[in-house]
Amino acid sequence: MADQAEEARVPFHLPVLQTEVVDRLGVRSGGVYVDATVGDGGHALALLRASSPLGCVCGIDLDPRSLVRAEQRLAPFGSRFTPVLGSYASMVSLVQGAWGGEVRVEGILLDLGISSRQVDGPGFGFSFQRDEPLDMRFNPDADVPTAAELVNTWPEARLASVLREFGEEPRAAAIARSLVRGRPVRTTAQLAELAGGRGGRRGPRRTHPATRTFQALRIAVNDELNTLEEGLKAAVELLAPEGRVGIISYHSLEDRLVKNFLAREGARCICPPGLPVCVCNHKPTINLVNRRIIRPSVEEVAANPRSRSSRLRVAQRLQD
């Protein structure tokens, strides 16, 4: 009950690049849209307002706590907002289950990463900013290992590999050794101390020295990169011709995956380099709407410092 009361006091997450999302997705009155990472409903709110009076939004989220907050926040829109619990990797079946099998949507948004509430609120174990059990599952009911289970059971070499691959952590081997020696690791404070405390790099830093470790474990727990690849495929499948998908990423792993996927889907040939003729018969499915990454304005970063690393890419579905 105490956690629920505390969570209720956490402000709604401030959506990034809100104006740019509405503009680049071409939101229109009466349109049909999917916010596939609805969170607290900030972007969905903007989509509903821009598509009024008859536009609808399906809001998908893996975190049932976020979905409850979004549903409460968007209750004034009535049936124009449809909340759905699940992973955006299953976007096609989730949206068709909610709206019918023939639906083709005009715009889809994927806002990757974690929300301010998941960092600042209780019960997630995502952050070193509060000491709590080391969980990191987006869905607390999901039958997947927690971050504590990974840290306490994986061999040192596997931990180092994950920290290096998913956290791009140059001290991966040393941190993995520290985590193994410090077992059992049960809380976020323990993890932060072992990953970045006295052994962390010296000198001025913009981020806590354990940030990359927390990112890597969160990605591993939730299988985020594989989920993103499947979610991008689902978005292209679900879009109506000339519909648009926008993806907001926050770190280089996500953005690289998104960039490569969009380039591949927009290419006329995906044969390995060096072949004298094309044999793949690949048909492009999308066009890029913006060749250059869309970043937040100086004013937005000043008002919301957490937006500074965000970047938006947008693509449009070609005619079938």
Side-chain angles (χ1 to χ4, degrees):
M1 293 296 291
D3 276 359
Q4 291 178 354
E6 183 180 357
E7 184 175 333
R9 291 193 295 269
V10 176
F12 284 121
H13 173 72
L14 190 61
V16 305
L17 295 165
Q18 181 174 277
T19 300
E20 291 84 351
V21 164
V22 170
D23 177 58
R24 297 307 176 102
L25 287 185
V27 180
R28 66 171 186 84
S29 176
V32 178
Y33 303 95
V34 173
D35 186 343
T37 49
V38 72
D40 282 359
H43 282 116
L45 177 62
L47 295 174
L48 286 163
R49 286 173 172 167
S51 64
S52 66
L54 298 176
C56 3
V57 173
C58 179
I60 300 171
D61 209 282
L62 193 57
D63 176 9
R65 297 158 291 189
S66 292
L67 206 61
V68 168
R69 282 169 64 95
E71 192 169 8
Q72 292 170 344
R73 185 181 192 180
L74 302 175
F77 294 92
S79 61
R80 290 183 57 205
F81 176 67
T82 302
V84 178
L85 179 65
S87 168
Y88 60 72
S90 304
M91 189 189 317
V92 174
S93 61
L94 293 176
V95 173
Q96 289 179 346
W99 281 346
E102 300 303 315
V103 65
R104 298 291 291 276
V105 302
E106 296 170 49
I108 297 171
L109 174 65
L110 292 168
D111 183 7
L112 309 175
I114 56 178
S115 72
S116 299
R117 183 182 62 84
Q118 289 168 327
V119 173
D120 300 332
F124 293 91
F126 284 136
S127 173
F128 43 76
Q129 296 181 13
R130 56 189 307 130
D131 188 17
E132 59 185 5
L134 193 56
D135 192 322
M136 296 198 187
R137 292 171 299 172
F138 284 123
N139 184 342
D141 300 320
D143 186 20
V144 297
T146 65
E149 291 176 81
L150 303 190
V151 169
N152 290 302
T153 62
W154 277 3
E156 182 179 318
R158 188 175 183 186
L159 283 172
S161 176
V162 164
L163 297 179
R164 193 177 298 112
E165 181 181 356
F166 294 162
E168 299 179 298
E169 173 56 71
R171 297 182 59 253
I175 291 173
R177 189 178 313 117
S178 176
L179 295 180
V180 170
R181 289 175 178 175
R183 288 172 175 170
V185 184
R186 303 296 185 194
T187 70
T188 54
Q190 286 179 279
L191 179 64
E193 175 65 21
L194 291 167
R198 297 185 184 91
R201 284 170 284 180
R202 305 293 181 181
R205 292 176 56 93
R206 293 178 65 183
T207 59
H208 190 284
T211 298
R212 294 174 184 268
T213 298
F214 273 76
Q215 172 186 300
L217 289 173
R218 191 201 78 222
I219 291 173
V221 166
N222 297 288
D223 196 22
E224 291 181 35
L225 298 184
N226 286 329
T227 298
L228 175 55
E229 183 79 33
E230 293 304 309
L232 292 170
K233 294 176 185 176
V236 172
E237 180 180 346
L238 194 59
L239 279 174
E242 299 187 2
R244 293 185 174 189
V245 57
I247 309 102
I248 302 174
S249 59
Y250 295 86
H251 57 75
S252 58
L253 290 177
E254 293 173 337
D255 188 58
R256 192 180 308 127
L257 192 156
V258 171
K259 178 182 177 181
N260 290 341
F261 176 87
L262 296 181
R264 185 170 66 249
E265 286 299 306
R268 296 189 178 279
C269 174
I270 56 174
C271 289
L275 288 183
V277 295
C278 175
V279 296
C280 68
N281 297 315
H282 183 259
K283 287 185 60 177
T285 58
I286 60 167
N287 273 332
L288 296 181
V289 172
N290 59 304
R291 295 281 173 180
R292 301 181 64 180
I293 294 171
I294 300 169
R295 296 185 180 273
S297 65
V298 173
E299 293 77 15
E300 179 173 2
V301 173
N304 179 18
R306 285 175 174 169
S307 71
R308 69 175 178 268
S309 62
S310 62
R311 56 202 93 174
L312 172 65
R313 297 182 186 272
V314 183
Q316 186 169 42
R317 185 75 157 89
L318 296 175
Q319 296 284 342
D320 292 332

